[in-house]
Amino acid sequence: MDLVEEAGFQAVEATNAFEAVQILEARTDIRIVFTDIDMPGSMDGMTLAAAVRDRWPPIEIVIVSGHRRPKEADLPLRSHFFSKPYEARDIVDTLRKLGL
């Protein structure tokens, strides 16, 4: 959250993927979803990313993980993956490019 807000974006936090979907269903102003693959709950970040791509195609997706490194073919179209530890600058640059 801090990284996103410090980059000048308004962040909306979801505690799990189910809550993220509820937020996306209720709001039309979300432009980027930033998710960790390992999330609490029954849906992980990869499943969330796939749902976002399917239901909200215009939304950009940033996926991070410190434990898994998915194959490029397993990532949803137009998603961006960063392995932890990542450089904050790289994330911010990507968010700015996607947010424009």
Side-chain angles (χ1 to χ4, degrees):
M1 288 288 294
D2 292 338
L3 174 67
V4 172
E5 291 175 338
E6 288 171 11
F9 291 92
Q10 178 185 4
V12 179
E13 185 173 19
T15 57
N16 57 50
F18 177 75
E19 186 178 331
V21 169
Q22 288 181 312
I23 291 168
L24 290 166
E25 289 175 339
R27 296 182 61 155
T28 59
D29 62 332
I30 305 294
R31 295 172 63 191
I32 302 169
V33 169
F34 186 116
T35 184
D36 195 303
I37 290 178
D38 297 313
M39 297 181 72
S42 61
M43 187 186 318
D44 70 10
M46 288 294 286
T47 305
L48 171 62
V52 169
R53 182 53 60 238
D54 183 54
R55 293 182 63 187
W56 298 279
I59 293 178
E60 301 295 342
I61 303 167
V62 175
I63 305 168
V64 299
S65 179
H67 304 289
R68 295 191 258 170
R69 184 169 183 90
K71 295 176 186 171
E72 188 73 28
D74 294 334
L75 294 169
L77 292 176
R78 294 188 2 259
S79 63
H80 303 269
F81 176 78
F82 293 90
S83 185
K84 293 179 184 178
Y86 48 74
E87 291 290 328
R89 175 183 64 243
D90 294 338
I91 298 288
V92 170
D93 288 348
T94 298
L95 292 174
R96 287 190 176 137
K97 286 177 190 172
L98 296 175
L100 298 177

